[in-house]
Amino acid sequence: MSQSAHEEAAMNATEARNALYTLVKRAEEDARTTLIYKGQKRQERVLLAPLDRLPAARKTEALPSHVLSAAQKDFGDLITRAAQGQPQVLLRNTTPVAVLLPADVVAGTHSADPAAAAAAAPAGGAVNSQGHPERKSAPRRLTTLGDAIGAALTSGPVGSTTFGLPGLDAATGGLQSGRLTLVAAAPNVGGSLLGLAAARQTALVDNHKVLYAASGPNQADIMRRIISAETSGDYPRLKQGRLTEQEQQVARKLVQAPLLIDDGSDLTAEAIAETAPYVEDLALVVVDRLQAARNARLPLSGDRLPDASQVLASLARTLHVPVLAIVDSTDPTLLGLLDADVLVTLTPTEDPAKVQVTVAERDFGTIGSAYLRPDLLHARFLDAGATPVGRAGGEGSAQILGNAVEQELAAAALPYTSGAQQGLPASVTHVLAALRTALTNGDPEALAELGPCLAETAAAPPQLPDTAEGRRLAAALQAYGTAASAGTTGQPAAAGIQPTADRGQIPDADEEEEDGDGLVPGDEEDEPEGAVFPALRILKDAVARSKMHPIPVIRTEERDSGPWPLISEDMDGEPRWVHPSVTLARVPHIKANGKRVRREQLDVPDSFGEGVLCLIDRNGSYPSACSAVPLAPNKLLHTGPLDAFDKTQAGIYLIDIPQWSRTDMPHPLGRMIERPDDQGRVWVTTPHIKQLEKLVREGHLAAAPAIHDSWTGKANESLFKPFYEATRKARTELVQVGGDPYKAYKTRLSIALRLLWPKRAEQRSPFWRPDWRMSMVAEASVRHWSVAFRAVQDGHKLIALRNVDAAVFWTPRGTPPPTYRIGTGFGEVKAKFIQPGEIIPEGDD
């Protein structure tokens, strides 16, 4: 028996799954309804319909809701549930856009319901939303101002995708979802490197998925540029296929990066638009690049560009993701033909160390500008605040660090540290590379710390080849050894840069007190005008500007009930762990000022082989964690036991302590496992829940812990991001200055973060959110633990993991684990080397 014409023309579930984004767009923009069937006898039939068919679907808490990527994955199950009478709402991010309804029930109703008319309309899969065959086109769907305001209030902050360049991110406001951003730059200015910067930040730092459509470079070019930018390896050498051991290790680590490259032939805008919907959890599309000159081999060139830009703009709006495209021209006539929402133009300046960036927005014109420093040797742009060695003077330029002997040693070592020349021991190469980095970054603290290692190398120089490069380096080492004997090394050449006295004793901004909150009366007051770094005012402003309407202070009368008594300092998750085979002792020590303290001493067994203690000191762990802290800006509601962790929520969770059998790493929950309740459970914040979920996915834990109780609210990761960006920018400037300004910066930074949870009733802080404070501390602990774990997985031996910024590894001298990035920026580390049995210089007084 033949089937009805209506069913023969209907769309089956597989076809609908593949075309889901297109069908949702039809429902959302054209109010069209699609009939979908499933099963051999087509017994399960549903309508993919606009929200007008079921107004209740606009309230996501009323019905089962699914983001489009998840809905596409589980589409068959959703059809079954909808056919059984359970409508399923489809979301773009957090906004409802369409609904799956039971078609047979709707068709069988005897009413004027529009969905019923839709089911009975002529065949063809997509039908007129009002069920009037005589109407040739459906009316446009209209949105009230109230709906638009509601979507804005519930969607959370925008602009979470960035270039990773603070000045440019401040000028652009980040890469906005649903918008096409065009980077315009003449050839050889480096426009493609901005696309690469956004891809690196999104995929490698934020761990979000990127589709990189490469019309100009091929996948090998992109790989080499990423490695060059990540390792500071010279790009011309990498193009020859010559990678150092460190660069090979970095390349191996990037194997799992969520960066998808399409460099296929005939890469068109339509092909990109067809591919993107199939990339689950897509966060960014980069098109590198649109070529102004006509090229028969490249579809994305010449007079095809206006049409291509329209397709890319439509892709951004349809998938609600940022699309970033690079065009190799600044011709205003051409740019006027392209359908960009935001135009970022790169223009060279008279100073070759600077490129000006102008940001313009459709309908508003120029909205911002910034300066970048091209570092084309390493395939990247840097903020213009830091100037390379040898570029003195000019606006915003940094003063040169290091005397003539140190400058010459760094220059002589360049052929070897870049990998162009071979023949140095790895330990010597690392020390000389660290010297070059310290001079380039203007880091007097790092330069002073390198002094002993450099002096030791110069006193017993390695055998160097009899070449021009070898003879120059030998002479430079000899000169350095002579200067070290005379005590003239390790001093900055510029008079304006002076190392801080007793710098090693300045408490870091993220050190914790054992008792109390470390605050004194008056700390809660705003900094005076002209303060070096008004941290509290910046933090208050960041919270006040949030679109999530945060509640910065929980009323006093509410603090003794609900979730608040459950939150404690124990939720920080700090490891404070020592390898079980290593002996820890606390020994007396007299500081330079005569004060008696106790310091740690680690004794390593002979079975560990030859090596030294490599002390890792992480810069700004707490403010760095502020870049993306998962927390609930509003009140926490009691959500009780949960079947599974919901990533759209954040708060505190009562869980079983998962079993951890490894002895080479501390438990992921740190010291929390030492303080369980009577049933062996602990309260944790969202960062640790997310960490445990990741460890389960990667196979390091057998199963996610059961959640026995919870207090949660709508999650947000951007509440403190403006504070983080301002803090990072200030550090970049002040770390070079040192002295009292840098000390004041660190003090006010520490005070601002502690004021999130003041402990004394008389402390009139603008904040009282212990969940925010402990989520931030937990995020720092999770990042600290995760980087150490990656090093251990790579075969490095962890000796101790102390608080949120200190780790100790057993390594050859001068070779810190490459998992860590050496530098002065947030998240980067300082590395020191001491012999086993020596006193560790840091510690709690």
Side-chain angles (χ1 to χ4, degrees), residues 231-457:
T231 65
S232 297
D234 296 346
Y235 180 62
R237 173 176 53 78
L238 293 176
K239 289 189 68 173
Q240 300 171 10
R242 296 157 55 193
L243 277 69
T244 66
E245 180 61 32
Q246 179 197 7
E247 290 159 355
Q248 293 179 36
Q249 291 176 352
V250 170
R252 285 190 286 267
K253 291 179 186 299
L254 296 180
V255 169
Q256 301 300 323
L259 179 60
L260 308 177
I261 302 173
D262 183 353
D263 66 347
S265 60
D266 296 327
L267 182 62
T268 63
E270 290 79 9
I272 298 168
E274 291 172 0
T275 302
Y278 293 96
V279 181
E280 188 175 349
D281 298 325
L282 182 64
L284 173 66
V285 177
V286 176
V287 181
D288 183 10
R289 60 197 174 262
L290 311 180
Q291 186 166 300
R294 171 76 182 193
N295 186 327
R297 187 179 61 84
L298 298 177
L300 294 177
S301 67
D303 55 8
R304 305 174 185 176
L305 295 189
D307 290 340
S309 70
Q310 292 181 12
V311 173
L312 296 176
S314 176
L315 170 65
R317 290 188 286 272
T318 302
L319 295 190
H320 200 64
V321 299
V323 176
L324 178 65
I326 319 299
V327 59
D328 64 351
S329 173
T330 55
D331 180 4
T333 303
L334 172 62
L335 300 180
L337 298 175
L338 305 185
D339 194 22
D341 298 296
V342 178
L343 179 63
V344 178
T345 305
L346 275 66
T347 309
T349 67
E350 293 181 358
D351 182 355
K354 278 187 178 180
V355 170
Q356 183 175 11
V357 182
T358 305
V359 182
E361 187 170 323
R362 193 204 307 263
D363 300 331
F364 288 96
T366 301
I367 62 171
S369 63
Y371 286 94
L372 296 176
R373 178 161 63 90
D375 184 11
L376 303 185
L377 180 64
H378 302 130
R380 63 191 178 187
F381 279 106
L382 303 173
D383 271 336
T387 302
V389 173
R391 297 192 187 275
E395 178 186 355
S397 63
Q399 302 182 61
I400 300 176
L401 180 68
N403 56 35
V405 173
E406 291 158 339
Q407 295 280 354
E408 170 58 20
L409 179 57
L414 179 58
Y416 294 92
T417 57
S418 69
Q421 298 289 330
Q422 305 293 324
L424 284 186
S427 59
V428 175
T429 302
H430 280 288
V431 170
L432 295 176
L435 169 64
R436 181 186 174 195
T437 300
L439 295 175
T440 300
N441 294 339
D443 186 351
E445 184 179 20
L447 180 59
E449 292 170 355
L450 282 171
C453 292
L454 288 168
E456 181 180 328
T457 301

Side-chain angles (χ1 to χ4, degrees), residues 537-584:
R537 280 191 280 145
I538 294 172
L539 184 59
K540 288 166 59 178
D541 182 63
V543 173
R545 285 190 291 146
S546 172
K547 297 180 181 180
M548 295 290 290
H549 302 290
I551 301 174
V553 178
I554 301 300
R555 292 185 296 180
T556 304
E557 59 269 23
E558 298 178 2
R559 299 177 186 178
D560 294 331
S561 61
W564 313 115
L566 304 173
I567 300 174
S568 72
E569 293 283 0
D570 297 337
M571 298 167 76
D572 58 14
E574 291 186 354
R576 304 190 182 184
W577 172 88
V578 176
H579 193 286
S581 299
V582 174
T583 302
L584 169 67

